[in-house]
């Protein structure tokens, strides 16, 4: 609280990763929305249709919707028996009691950062299954742009600011934070390769042209130059 009060008092310009977060801090200072970015120049995934694979990278807990994803995947596999789920997490103990934890279609493992390109390029669809709540509505996951940097089509729950970005870039499907809605979104992409490819390409191009870390750095440098000129 003290640091935020200091920023509001002394900063020339305030930067926020989302409009939702900025709205929590009314100020007369200039405000810029600067979301996370993604890496450029990565080889996009060749979407895997032989073994359709849903990938998730991140924490495992209730807020992140980890159990929601596994619940949805049970429905996905019932309708698409060749589908698989690749769950990458530093600590997935939250999933230990889930009925699907040891299902043949589920791989849960820890991977080092440098190993993630291999995981991404073997995938078909990437998911962000966050449960909708006040915090997740204003959060913008870094993984969103990482997924797009590999050209993966997205299925994301309708957390406000994340959903807005996905819809703006036309990089994925937005669904309710409910088991059947998430399953239906995943299945829609698994059953429509042309749509999945188009959404994945939209996200990839968005990162290359406007949403990379380099673009974010350039925006910061431009702001600094403008402030120095004033």
């Amino acid at each position: 609280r003290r640091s935020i009060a200091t920023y509001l008092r002394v900063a020339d310009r305030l930067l926020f990763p989302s409009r939702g977060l900025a709205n929590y801090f009314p100020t007369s200072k200039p405000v810029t929305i600067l979301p996370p970015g993604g890496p450029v120049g990565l080889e996009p995934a060749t979407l895997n249709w032989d073994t359709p694979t849903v990938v998730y990278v991140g924490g495992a807990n209730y807020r992140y919707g980890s159990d929601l994803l596994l619940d949805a995947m049970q429905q996905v596999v019932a309708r698409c028996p060749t589908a698989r789920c690749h769950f990458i997490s530093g600590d997935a103990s939250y999933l230990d009691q889930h009925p699907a934890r040891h299902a043949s279609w589920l791989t849960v493992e820890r991977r080092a950062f440098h190993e993630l390109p291999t995981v991404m390029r073997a995938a078909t669809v990437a998911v962000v299954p966050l449960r909708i709540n006040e915090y997740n509505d204003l959060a913008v996951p870094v993984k969103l742009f990482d997924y797009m940097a590999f050209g993966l089509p997205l299925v994301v729950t309708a957390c406000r600011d994340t959903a807005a970005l996905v819809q703006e870039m036309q990089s994925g499907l937005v669904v309710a934070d409910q088991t059947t809605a998430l399953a239906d979104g995943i299945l829609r992409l698994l059953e429509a390769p042309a749509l999945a490819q188009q959404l994945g390409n939209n996200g990839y191009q968005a990162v290359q042209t406007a949403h990379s870390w380099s673009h974010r750095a350039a925006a910061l440098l431009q702001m600094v130059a403008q402030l120095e000129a004033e």
Side-chain angles (χ1 to χ4, degrees), residues 86-169:
H86 203 163
F87 197 109
I88 308 298
S89 181
D91 179 9
S93 57
Y94 173 77
L95 302 177
D96 287 348
Q97 303 306 313
H98 194 281
R101 173 62 182 86
H102 298 291
S104 60
W105 47 262
L106 176 65
T107 300
V108 179
E109 61 181 349
R110 182 194 302 261
R111 286 291 190 107
F113 182 78
H114 71 273
E115 296 176 304
L116 292 182
T118 301
V119 173
M120 299 293 195
R121 293 193 182 103
T124 316
V125 174
V127 292
V128 182
L130 293 170
R131 279 190 163 84
I132 299 171
N133 58 37
E134 188 175 14
Y135 177 81
N136 286 341
D137 263 346
L138 58 80
V140 179
V142 176
K143 68 170 66 70
L144 184 76
F145 293 92
D146 289 338
Y147 290 155
M148 291 192 297
F150 284 98
L152 290 173
L154 309 173
V155 178
V156 306
T157 50
C159 297
R160 186 188 58 232
D161 286 27
T162 296
L165 281 167
V166 170
Q167 290 169 333
E168 175 189 339
M169 293 180 279

Side-chain angles (χ1 to χ4, degrees), residues 4-18:
I4 291 171
T6 300
Y7 298 149
L8 292 172
R9 187 174 67 253
V10 305
D12 295 299
R13 178 177 292 272
L14 294 165
L15 308 179
F16 295 92
S18 71

Side-chain angles (χ1 to χ4, degrees), residues 216-228:
R216 303 300 187 239
L220 280 170
L221 289 172
Q222 185 178 18
M223 289 178 217
V224 171
Q226 290 173 343
L227 289 170
E228 288 179 337

Side-chain angles (χ1 to χ4, degrees), residues 35-77:
V40 293
L42 297 174
E43 179 184 349
T46 301
L47 303 185
N48 181 359
W49 300 110
D50 294 330
T51 307
T53 301
V54 177
V55 66
Y56 170 84
V57 180
N61 60 39
Y62 180 85
R63 179 171 70 83
Y64 290 153
S66 305
D67 54 311
L68 180 63
L69 173 57
L70 266 57
D71 290 343
M73 282 303 305
Q74 289 179 302
Q75 294 189 18
V76 170
V77 173

